[in-house]
Amino acid sequence: MSKPSGTDQVDDHPAFVDASSLKEPPTAKGARTRAALVTAARTVFERDGFLGSRITDISAEADCASGTFYTYFSGKEEVLAAVLEAAQDDMLHPGLPHVNGTDDPREVIAASNRAYLTAYLRNARLMEILYQVASIDPAFQELRRRRAAKFNERNSRHIAELQERGLADPTLDPLMAAKALSGMVSRVAMELMVYEDVDIDTTVDLVTTLWVNALKLKAPEEARPPSKRAGRGGRRRS
Amino acid sequence: MSKPSGTDQVDDHPAFVDASSLKEPPTAKGARTRAALVTAARTVFERDGFLGSRITDISAEADCASGTFYTYFSGKEEVLAAVLEAAQDDMLHPGLPHVNGTDDPREVIAASNRAYLTAYLRNARLMEILYQVASIDPAFQELRRRRAAKFNERNSRHIAELQERGLADPTLDPLMAAKALSGMVSRVAMELMVYEDVDIDTTVDLVTTLWVNALKLKAPEEARPPSKRAGRGGRRRS
Amino acid sequence: MSKPSGTDQVDDHPAFVDASSLKEPPTAKGARTRAALVTAARTVFERDGFLGSRITDISAEADCASGTFYTYFSGKEEVLAAVLEAAQDDMLHPGLPHVNGTDDPREVIAASNRAYLTAYLRNARLMEILYQVASIDPAFQELRRRRAAKFNERNSRHIAELQERGLADPTLDPLMAAKALSGMVSRVAMELMVYEDVDIDTTVDLVTTLWVNALKLKAPEEARPPSKRAGRGGRRRS
Amino acid sequence: MSKPSGTDQVDDHPAFVDASSLKEPPTAKGARTRAALVTAARTVFERDGFLGSRITDISAEADCASGTFYTYFSGKEEVLAAVLEAAQDDMLHPGLPHVNGTDDPREVIAASNRAYLTAYLRNARLMEILYQVASIDPAFQELRRRRAAKFNERNSRHIAELQERGLADPTLDPLMAAKALSGMVSRVAMELMVYEDVDIDTTVDLVTTLWVNALKLKAPEEARPPSKRAGRGGRRRS
DNA sequence: TATGAATGAGGTTTCATTCAT
DNA sequence: CATGAATGAAACCTCATTCAT
């Protein structure tokens, strides 16, 4: 099924498949310590930002000595990767948009957006941090890009499908539109929900309406411009 | 005249009116040195980012001793403010969208977006930096917010006007829509133009179409009670 | 027992009970390093004065890296507090004036003064430094004051006691007299013993005589001028 | 006339005869600028201490450029010398203790002390500063010593004279006693009057009584072998 | 593994002093 | 003489990283 608007991902990062920090902890205690460090790192990053944080703070937060940090990670970048990886699990299942029984594209889009924004809210600060780091560290930039690509692909497919069914503006480039619209959603998520505390229902409504309008989405029954009415040329958006 | 999409501003920062660094140096040489430092700071910030930059580098770039820096600024934050202030001048007059002779709202929107994106391109890295710093320093966060507010107000007014003229979807909240749409534009600017090197014409077209669609914009002649001419169905965006 | 003239304290600082640097280092090595730093700091302070000293010099003197200093102290002020605290121990037991077998107040005063001056000599430079710092840093000013208060209280009590026993000039305000006389002693300590190298016996004699005279001290057997012999008017002090 | 207790001097610095900064200002304007700098320096020194002060502050206080400072002085030490020199004039004539018509030594001593303490109050902070600097800069140490010497000499002479007249304890070494007693007075001046705000009358009384007691001073009529004994019976001021 | 003291390179900041205007 | 910008040596302080225990 195609999901329009970042259904199960946060931001443009659909899959935090990272390879860097997959050192499976050897011992049981080791695993616990490592986990504590990852949790602590997230806390500290969210509090102080990535660049503002110090390794000392992370180990302190994890209740261990600063030296211990280096048993599991080679530096801040690596914990960050681990933190993102951990967050991914949380973000992959944000109540998947089981738009049961509905075919109405608007409902599907709304559900997707809701799922996306819900997950976003839980991980907003982390996203902000990823953004920051990406603009500094090419590795994270790449990470961000690769994931955004997957994500946009999916939304793009959904748009294309709607176009094929005659439900969306056929003049739009599906991939470009997908990028622009999901960009809009993630921006709105940060600006309105995080900074301005707008409630999620309002936000879902807003972005869904704009998204639907932007695609000139028709109701399914209007689909496939019936040949006979072709003369009328009525391809009314929305 | 109301300008729809951040016509003459970059990002959400319509007016970099800053007060912090208004210490006009008394002498001419002083002014020159200060200017050199501001220029150098911009260069260094764009190269290394705000947090990655060192004051030493800035003074080196400005060909002066490190101590000289402190004659004019109390720290990196203050130069950044000065840099943004200087950039503002550049951004305030990016070939104002004198959409001469056209009343067509799409043309107006397109022109605005072009102006905006053009300026954005010139200051993209700086915007990225402001974003970074805002997420770290509350002062810049505030700066960003206050300016975004002004900016959104303007776009909001334009949308409301179109609604009043019966040209735009009346169900939209003008302010919210303005925020979402200009968010989209600045996101696209960064993602597509800066990271993916999409050319400006394509980008302008993309965002303009989406913007226009999102508002369900009608051509002026369709305005208001289109009752009688409904059959004609002239739907020309742009 | 009340001790007249700063018996077991140096200057007006009876108890260097400081709270600022009570961070007992956890490990043994840590304790050693900290102690080395305190010792080094004292050496450097006595050599260069407080303001003339550099943290680098202290760590160098303690044979450790400059960063190590900050593991234990937040700055020069804090080491100084630690140095004073350490000195206190030395000063608290300078051969307490166990004027065994004597009740003669003059002997008691002499012994006290000797104890005081002996300790003073050992810590003279430090006292000078405390004086300096106190005139600059309100925290040390306060420290000095609070301790002087305790000290003066004790001398004051001794004087009052002598007055009650009819051995000292009853017209004197005990606290004021205590302040003035111990001020005299510490001044003389610095001026004569430190700057002019007068030997301690001479100095003890000098200040004891002046102190005794100033109180118009009588020998115990003269106590409470018996009314009947009033006419004889025998007034021989000490 | 012999003055017992630092009659017209402040602290132990009877004569600020300094040679270092006697560069008579050439121009009239020059003289004014120099004077402004000296005044400013005193203000700044009293506010921030000698070591805490910066040349910049002094020129700022004197409303001139920092470079100007070097036209008149080679550094802080030199202005300090100038400041002390200027203060000397103020201190040399503090209402000289013309104890007209009295021969009573106590009156003389009281008057001297009053004169001394009055002047002290006016220059207390400056004295504190001189003390500080003396403990750092040998030149000022020397200055202080040489002046103290003259001062002590005078008090010493007065004591000797009283001894010769049979009015003071003949066992005291006049010079040593002078040093100790004037040390007491200057200490009390700082501690009580400056720090504790004790009023001058009380202070004069206190130190005068102690001074008189310490010398075992007799009234003139009791002088020497009082064999015939005026009959009137010596009135001892306790 | 865990610890936390020690390290020291690296950046920041201050200010006395010079010098061209 | 006055100015005040420029200088740069010198001190401060931080923190990632190592390593002996």
Side-chain angles (χ1 to χ4, degrees):
Chain A
M1 221 266 325
S2 65
K3 289 159 215 138
S5 67
T7 21
D8 54 27
Q9 296 302 330
V10 156
D11 206 16
D12 11 2
H13 302 278
F16 291 123
V17 201
D18 204 295
S20 52
S21 50
L22 294 180
K23 300 154 189 165
E24 287 304 320
T27 330
K29 188 171 71 168
R32 244 176 297 126
T33 307
R34 200 197 118 105
L37 280 166
V38 172
T39 304
R42 175 161 182 168
T43 304
V44 173
F45 288 157
E46 295 191 332
R47 170 165 33 85
D48 306 328
F50 179 75
L51 287 140
S53 67
R54 295 165 313 168
I55 288 189
T56 312
D57 293 336
I58 296 173
S59 13
E61 179 78 27
D63 273 314
C64 69
S66 64
T68 304
F69 179 91
Y70 291 92
T71 305
Y72 300 101
F73 308 101
S74 68
K76 274 204 286 183
E77 281 75 16
E78 214 168 288
V79 229
L80 177 56
V83 167
L84 292 172
E85 195 179 352
Q88 177 186 22
D89 298 337
D90 167 46
M91 290 193 259
L92 277 171
H93 317 288
L96 285 161
H98 296 300
V99 200
N100 299 317
T102 310
D103 247 14
D104 185 355
R106 190 192 156 101
E107 288 311 301
V108 173
I109 291 170
S112 297
N113 282 333
R114 176 172 304 275
Y116 176 83
L117 291 172
T118 304
Y120 196 100
L121 219 44
R122 269 207 306 282
N123 298 281
R125 183 71 179 133
L126 206 53
M127 288 305 100
E128 210 180 0
I129 283 157
L130 177 56
Y131 238 79
Q132 269 179 43
V133 180
S135 82
I136 277 171
D137 185 324
F140 285 93
Q141 176 68 296
E142 187 45 34
L143 181 68
R144 202 177 73 79
R145 302 279 291 286
R146 237 179 317 116
R147 286 163 179 168
K150 267 192 220 162
F151 179 62
N152 287 326
E153 219 171 87
R154 215 186 311 170
N155 281 328
S156 165
R157 247 181 289 121
H158 182 246
I159 293 172
E161 189 191 305
L162 291 174
Q163 288 177 323
E164 276 158 30
R165 289 168 59 196
L167 298 176
D169 183 348
T171 68
L172 291 169
D173 175 325
L175 183 56
M176 297 293 262
K179 285 175 176 173
L181 291 173
S182 64
M184 173 185 75
V185 177
S186 80
R187 247 315 168 78
V188 159
M190 183 59 79
E191 295 290 337
L192 296 190
M193 290 175 59
V194 177
Y195 292 152
E196 300 189 20
D197 247 332
V198 173
D199 74 288
I200 193 165
D201 290 333
T202 309
T203 312
V204 168
D205 230 60
L206 172 68
V207 297
T208 301
T209 298
L210 291 172
W211 186 296
V212 159
N213 282 0
L215 296 182
K216 291 187 170 176
L217 191 68
K218 293 173 191 153
E221 59 274 19
E222 292 182 278
R224 220 72 54 99
S227 42
K228 38 181 175 172
R229 311 243 251 99
R232 216 192 47 45
R235 200 172 3 77
R236 246 155 302 114
R237 340 116 192 106
S238 86
Chain B
M1 221 265 329
S2 65
K3 290 154 212 143
S5 66
T7 21
D8 53 30
Q9 295 303 330
V10 156
D11 208 13
D12 10 3
H13 301 277
F16 291 124
V17 200
D18 204 295
S20 54
S21 47
L22 293 181
K23 304 152 189 166
E24 287 303 316
T27 57
K29 188 167 67 163
R32 242 176 297 127
T33 306
R34 201 198 117 104
L37 280 165
V38 172
T39 305
R42 174 161 184 168
T43 304
V44 173
F45 288 158
E46 296 191 329
R47 171 166 29 87
D48 305 331
F50 180 75
L51 287 137
S53 67
R54 294 164 309 164
I55 289 184
T56 321
D57 293 337
I58 297 174
S59 15
E61 180 78 26
D63 272 313
C64 67
S66 69
T68 302
F69 179 91
Y70 292 94
T71 306
Y72 300 100
F73 308 100
S74 69
K76 276 202 286 181
E77 282 75 17
E78 214 168 287
V79 228
L80 177 56
V83 166
L84 292 172
E85 196 179 350
Q88 176 188 21
D89 298 337
D90 166 45
M91 291 191 253
L92 276 170
H93 318 286
L96 287 162
H98 294 301
V99 200
N100 299 316
T102 309
D103 245 14
D104 185 355
R106 184 182 223 269
E107 288 311 304
V108 173
I109 292 170
S112 296
N113 282 333
R114 176 173 303 279
Y116 176 83
L117 291 172
T118 304
Y120 197 100
L121 219 45
R122 266 206 308 280
N123 298 282
R125 182 71 179 134
L126 207 52
M127 288 305 101
E128 209 178 2
I129 283 157
L130 177 55
Y131 242 79
Q132 268 178 44
V133 179
S135 82
I136 278 171
D137 184 326
F140 285 94
Q141 177 68 293
E142 188 45 33
L143 182 69
R144 204 177 71 77
R145 302 279 291 286
R146 238 178 316 116
R147 288 165 177 169
K150 267 191 221 162
F151 179 61
N152 288 324
E153 221 171 85
R154 212 187 312 167
N155 282 328
S156 166
R157 248 182 287 119
H158 182 245
I159 293 172
E161 189 191 305
L162 292 174
Q163 290 176 323
E164 278 159 28
R165 292 166 58 195
L167 298 178
D169 182 349
T171 69
L172 292 168
D173 176 324
L175 182 55
M176 298 293 262
K179 284 175 177 173
L181 292 173
S182 64
M184 172 185 76
V185 176
S186 81
R187 247 314 168 78
V188 158
M190 185 57 80
E191 296 289 337
L192 297 189
M193 288 173 60
V194 178
Y195 293 151
E196 299 189 21
D197 247 333
V198 173
D199 74 288
I200 193 166
D201 290 334
T202 308
T203 311
V204 169
D205 228 60
L206 172 68
V207 298
T208 302
T209 297
L210 291 171
W211 186 296
V212 159
N213 283 358
L215 297 181
K216 290 187 172 175
L217 189 68
K218 292 174 192 155
E221 57 275 23
E222 290 182 283
R224 218 69 59 92
S227 44
K228 38 182 175 175
R229 315 247 249 98
R232 237 240 323 95
R235 103 230 76 69
R236 241 157 307 114
R237 34 196 130 42
S238 84
Chain C
M1 222 274 312
S2 64
K3 290 153 213 141
S5 67
T7 22
D8 53 28
Q9 295 303 330
V10 156
D11 208 13
D12 12 3
H13 300 277
F16 291 123
V17 201
D18 204 296
S20 53
S21 49
L22 292 181
K23 303 154 190 164
E24 287 304 317
T27 57
K29 188 168 66 164
R32 243 176 297 128
T33 306
R34 203 198 116 104
L37 280 165
V38 172
T39 305
R42 176 163 182 166
T43 305
V44 173
F45 288 158
E46 295 192 331
R47 175 173 15 96
D48 306 330
F50 180 75
L51 287 138
S53 66
R54 294 164 310 163
I55 287 183
T56 320
D57 292 337
I58 297 174
S59 17
E61 181 78 26
D63 271 315
C64 67
S66 69
T68 302
F69 179 92
Y70 292 94
T71 305
Y72 300 100
F73 309 101
S74 70
K76 276 202 287 182
E77 281 76 16
E78 214 168 285
V79 230
L80 177 56
V83 167
L84 292 172
E85 196 179 351
Q88 174 188 23
D89 297 337
D90 167 45
M91 291 191 252
L92 275 170
H93 318 288
L96 287 162
H98 295 301
V99 199
N100 300 318
T102 310
D103 247 15
D104 185 354
R106 190 195 155 96
E107 288 310 303
V108 173
I109 292 171
S112 295
N113 282 333
R114 177 173 302 277
Y116 176 83
L117 292 172
T118 304
Y120 197 100
L121 219 44
R122 268 207 306 282
N123 298 281
R125 183 70 179 133
L126 206 53
M127 289 305 102
E128 208 178 2
I129 283 156
L130 177 55
Y131 242 80
Q132 269 179 44
V133 179
S135 82
I136 278 171
D137 185 326
F140 285 95
Q141 177 69 293
E142 188 43 34
L143 182 68
R144 204 177 71 78
R145 303 279 292 285
R146 239 180 313 120
R147 286 164 179 171
K150 269 190 220 164
F151 179 61
N152 287 325
E153 221 169 86
R154 214 187 310 170
N155 283 328
S156 167
R157 249 182 285 123
H158 182 244
I159 292 172
E161 188 191 307
L162 293 174
Q163 289 176 324
E164 277 158 30
R165 292 168 57 197
L167 298 176
D169 183 347
T171 68
L172 291 169
D173 175 324
L175 184 55
M176 297 294 262
K179 284 175 178 173
L181 291 173
S182 65
M184 173 185 74
V185 177
S186 81
R187 248 312 168 78
V188 158
M190 183 59 78
E191 296 290 337
L192 296 189
M193 290 174 60
V194 178
Y195 294 151
E196 299 189 21
D197 248 332
V198 173
D199 74 290
I200 193 165
D201 290 334
T202 309
T203 311
V204 168
D205 230 60
L206 172 68
V207 297
T208 302
T209 298
L210 291 172
W211 187 296
V212 159
N213 283 359
L215 297 181
K216 290 189 169 175
L217 192 67
K218 293 173 189 153
E221 59 276 18
E222 292 181 280
R224 221 75 50 104
S227 42
K228 40 181 174 173
R229 313 242 251 96
R232 227 200 26 55
R235 107 216 79 64
R236 240 161 306 117
R237 332 131 188 94
S238 76
Chain D
M1 217 258 339
S2 65
K3 290 158 215 138
S5 67
T7 21
D8 54 26
Q9 296 302 330
V10 156
D11 208 13
D12 11 6
H13 300 278
F16 291 123
V17 201
D18 204 296
S20 53
S21 49
L22 294 180
K23 300 155 189 165
E24 287 304 320
T27 329
K29 188 170 70 168
R32 244 176 296 127
T33 306
R34 200 197 118 104
L37 280 165
V38 172
T39 304
R42 175 162 183 167
T43 304
V44 172
F45 288 157
E46 295 192 330
R47 170 166 31 86
D48 306 329
F50 180 75
L51 287 140
S53 66
R54 296 166 311 169
I55 290 189
T56 313
D57 293 336
I58 297 173
S59 13
E61 181 77 27
D63 274 314
C64 69
S66 64
T68 305
F69 179 91
Y70 291 93
T71 306
Y72 299 101
F73 309 100
S74 69
K76 273 203 286 183
E77 281 75 17
E78 214 168 287
V79 230
L80 176 57
V83 167
L84 292 172
E85 195 179 351
Q88 177 187 23
D89 298 338
D90 166 48
M91 290 192 259
L92 277 171
H93 319 289
L96 286 162
H98 295 300
V99 199
N100 300 317
T102 310
D103 246 14
D104 186 353
R106 185 185 220 268
E107 291 310 306
V108 173
I109 292 170
S112 296
N113 282 333
R114 177 173 303 276
Y116 175 83
L117 291 172
T118 305
Y120 195 99
L121 220 44
R122 268 207 305 280
N123 299 280
R125 183 73 179 131
L126 206 53
M127 288 305 103
E128 209 179 0
I129 283 156
L130 177 55
Y131 238 79
Q132 270 178 43
V133 180
S135 83
I136 278 170
D137 185 324
F140 285 93
Q141 176 69 295
E142 188 43 34
L143 180 67
R144 202 177 71 80
R145 302 279 290 286
R146 239 179 314 118
R147 286 162 180 170
K150 267 191 222 165
F151 178 61
N152 287 325
E153 219 170 88
R154 214 187 311 169
N155 281 329
S156 166
R157 248 182 284 121
H158 182 245
I159 291 171
E161 188 191 308
L162 292 173
Q163 288 176 325
E164 277 159 28
R165 293 167 56 196
L167 297 176
D169 182 348
T171 68
L172 291 168
D173 175 324
L175 183 55
M176 296 293 260
K179 284 175 178 173
L181 292 173
S182 65
M184 174 185 74
V185 178
S186 81
R187 243 320 165 77
V188 158
M190 184 58 78
E191 296 289 338
L192 296 189
M193 291 174 58
V194 178
Y195 294 151
E196 300 189 20
D197 246 331
V198 174
D199 74 288
I200 194 164
D201 290 333
T202 308
T203 311
V204 168
D205 230 58
L206 172 68
V207 298
T208 302
T209 298
L210 292 171
W211 187 296
V212 160
N213 282 359
L215 296 181
K216 289 188 170 175
L217 191 68
K218 294 174 190 152
E221 55 276 25
E222 289 182 282
R224 218 70 59 94
S227 42
K228 29 183 170 177
R229 212 182 325 114
R232 233 255 297 104
R235 94 215 95 58
R236 248 155 297 113
R237 14 165 155 57
S238 51

